[in-house]
Amino acid sequence: MAKDKILFYRNPQFSRCPSCKSIGTLHRSRSRNMFEQIVRKTSFIKVYRCKECGWRGFRSTLIFTKKSIRTLLIYILLMGITAYLAQYVILHYVMK
Ligand SMILES: [Zn+2]
């Protein structure tokens, strides 16, 4: 379970263009304004441009997998059970 990758790095340059559906036509685009610069610097979302059809927009370079979401939920559940057990032990054995 610990070996499961929660996040996968993906390079949008090798993914499909959302507009014309051609592969390998996306290129990193320069930020045109402050908003795009802030988004680019503070997140894993980058501005891309398709050289085939001229589409321009944000693409994420990180993706969550279905398996990783399940792994995350198991971790949260385990953490909840651990917290509950710790509280139970403290209330019944330590506080007496
Ligand atoms: Zn395109």
Side-chain angles (χ1 to χ4, degrees):
M1 199 166 77
K3 280 178 184 173
D4 283 344
K5 266 190 174 178
I6 287 163
L7 285 168
F8 280 94
Y9 180 75
R10 178 185 66 169
N11 190 345
Q13 268 170 293
F14 301 111
S15 65
R16 221 173 266 273
C17 167
S19 179
C20 67
K21 311 290 178 205
S22 44
I23 300 164
T25 58
L26 295 180
H27 282 258
R28 286 280 295 278
S29 181
R30 273 168 186 259
S31 307
R32 278 181 191 168
N33 52 47
M34 275 282 281
F35 172 72
E36 287 184 1
Q37 271 177 28
I38 292 162
V39 168
R40 199 187 60 180
K41 278 176 185 165
T42 55
S43 68
F44 46 81
I45 297 164
K46 306 270 185 281
V47 184
Y48 282 87
R49 189 186 161 86
C50 175
K51 64 176 179 181
E52 197 66 32
C53 67
W55 173 89
R56 192 172 181 278
F58 293 105
R59 301 304 281 166
S60 169
T61 53
L62 286 176
I63 47 164
F64 283 98
T65 59
K66 266 186 185 175
K67 200 182 170 188
S68 74
I69 290 164
R70 204 187 59 190
T71 308
L72 266 177
L73 286 174
I74 291 167
Y75 276 129
I76 291 164
L77 194 73
L78 282 175
M79 262 160 38
I81 291 166
T82 309
Y84 176 79
L85 284 175
Q87 195 187 36
Y88 182 87
V89 167
I90 290 164
L91 286 174
H92 288 82
Y93 298 99
V94 182
M95 301 289 270
K96 265 181 183 174

